[in-house]
């Protein structure tokens, strides 16, 4: 039987934004309910060390950090649950959200902190070989490719970081970059360019993958569409995507303003959306910075806004 319950503050997502919102909302006595979403703990659980979060001079393991944030939120009475919000109805307050189990939650305020997920190229072969050589997370899956040859797709900071990480495990790492240059920061560019195990294939696109039962190589095209276009097969054991992320906002599309890429648009400098009492924090609303510390900060802002909204509404 599906349940219906009421909460003063529903937080959707369990990354740095969601948990920080939960800590602040909990301390404000809002007894927040947190739905963790598909990837409990968010993107930082897919990484190894987080070196740039202030307060950890030696860095911190991403999973550990998320567990600590969860414990801290629970200490302030946040009700943290596994589960996904699959439907939203923001037509009137209290807002109605439905979970993947069919349970319904009436919420006076909603903090959306659903983050973003890795993008894929859109090749059928990515689906065919998913888990059989295709991955969007080097730090999760790199271990399986020790002493092997892999390719990382993309030319941004993520791709460089993943290529560098894989170069410590694998014999050879190709970077497949569609432009004649890397988009990454200077420091990351230097790191991959000076790494003898990394070979950067500029102006290359992947058009397919091949292999019996698992990835054995990629069909690539150099200078696609140009008179000197070259097509060839690149033997690899693993194919890692690092071409950016897509915000997890489809559930809210009907109700909120999203930009072209799907990021929730908020009132300048605040986590307020166009629906009173509905706030957005973290990567789902941040196409620019996409950093854990920024997400945590915006989660804090969203919780403060929720508290003020409830108090103004006398709820
Ligand atoms: P970016 O959007 O910066 O880079 C994506 C890369 O993937 C680009 O090289 C892009 O190519 C390429 N790409 C996109 N779509 C395709 C496609 N369909 N086929 C082939 N290539 C494609 O994403 P990142 O995830 O690298 O970084 C996101 C943000 O996070 C950035 O602001 C970055 O600086 C930051 N970041 C910072 C880190 C750090 O400071 N340690 C670590 C990781 C990320 P093109 O250039 O042609 O568009």
């Amino acid at each position: 039987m599906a349940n219906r319950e009421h909460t003063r503050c529903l937080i959707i997502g369990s990354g740095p934004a969601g948990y920080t919102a939960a800590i602040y909302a909990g301390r404000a006595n809002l007894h927040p309910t947190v739905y963790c979403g598909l990837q409990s703990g968010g993107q930082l659980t897919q990484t190894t060390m987080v070196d740039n979060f202030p307060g950890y001079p030696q860095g911190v393991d991403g999973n550990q950090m998320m567990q600590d944030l969860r414990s801290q939120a629970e200490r302030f009475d946040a009700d943290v649950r596994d589960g996904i919000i699959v439907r939203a109805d923001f037509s009137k307050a209290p807002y109605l959200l439905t979970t993947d189990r069919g349970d319904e939650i009436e919420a006076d305020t909603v903090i959306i902190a659903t983050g973003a997920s890795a993008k894929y190229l859109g090749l059928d072969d990515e689906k065919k070989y998913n888990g059989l050589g295709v991955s969007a997370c080097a730090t999760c899956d790199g271990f399986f490719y020790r002493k092997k040859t892999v390719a990382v797709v993309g030319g941004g900071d993520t791709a460089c970081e993943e290529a560098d990480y894989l170069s410590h495990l694998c014999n050879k790492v190709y970077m497949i970059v569609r432009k004649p240059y890397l988009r990454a920061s200077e420091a990351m560019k230097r790191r991959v360019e000076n790494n003898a195990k990394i070979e950067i294939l500029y102006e290359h696109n992947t058009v397919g993958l091949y292999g019996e039962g698992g990835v054995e190589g990629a069909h690539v095209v150099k200078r696609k569409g140009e008179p000197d276009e070259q097509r060839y097969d690149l033997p690899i054991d693993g194919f890692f995507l690092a071409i950016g992320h897509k915000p997890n906002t489809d559930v809210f599309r009907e109700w909120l303003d999203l930009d072209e890429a799907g990021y929730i648009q908020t009132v300048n400098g605040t986590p307020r959306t166009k629906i009173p009492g509905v706030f957005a924090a973290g990567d789902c609303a941040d196409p620019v910075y996409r950093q854990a510390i920024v997400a945590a900060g915006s989660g804090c802002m969203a919780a403060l806004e929720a508290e003020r909204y409830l108090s103004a509404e006398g709820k």
Side-chain angles (χ1 to χ4, degrees), residues 270-293:
T270 78
R272 283 179 230 140
T273 67
K274 70 175 188 187
I275 310 266
V278 176
F279 307 97
D283 284 13
C284 69
D286 176 9
V288 180
Y289 301 107
R290 295 179 282 195
Q291 298 298 303
I293 184 67

Side-chain angles (χ1 to χ4, degrees), residues 52 119-121 153-159 161 176-179 181-183 185 188 204-205 242-245 288-291:
N52 52 9
K119 276 197 219 162
Y120 286 76
L121 294 172
V153 185
D157 280 320
T158 304
E161 216 170 56
I176 303 177
V177 179
R178 66 181 175 183
K179 294 241 170 82
Y181 55 86
L182 295 173
R183 182 201 285 212
S185 58
M188 289 308 292
H204 276 66
N205 280 283
I243 59 168
H245 287 80
V288 180
Y289 301 107
R290 295 179 282 195
Q291 298 298 303

Side-chain angles (χ1 to χ4, degrees), residues 5 11 22 31-35 70 73-74 76-81:
E5 62 184 303
I11 298 169
H31 304 291
T33 304
V34 181
Y35 270 83
R70 178 177 179 149
E74 285 174 334
F76 296 115
D77 220 14
D79 179 358
V80 182
R81 304 172 180 180

Side-chain angles (χ1 to χ4, degrees), residues 28 131 138 165 170 250 253 257 261 263 282:
Y165 175 82
C170 306
D250 287 349
R253 182 170 292 281
D257 290 335
Y263 289 93

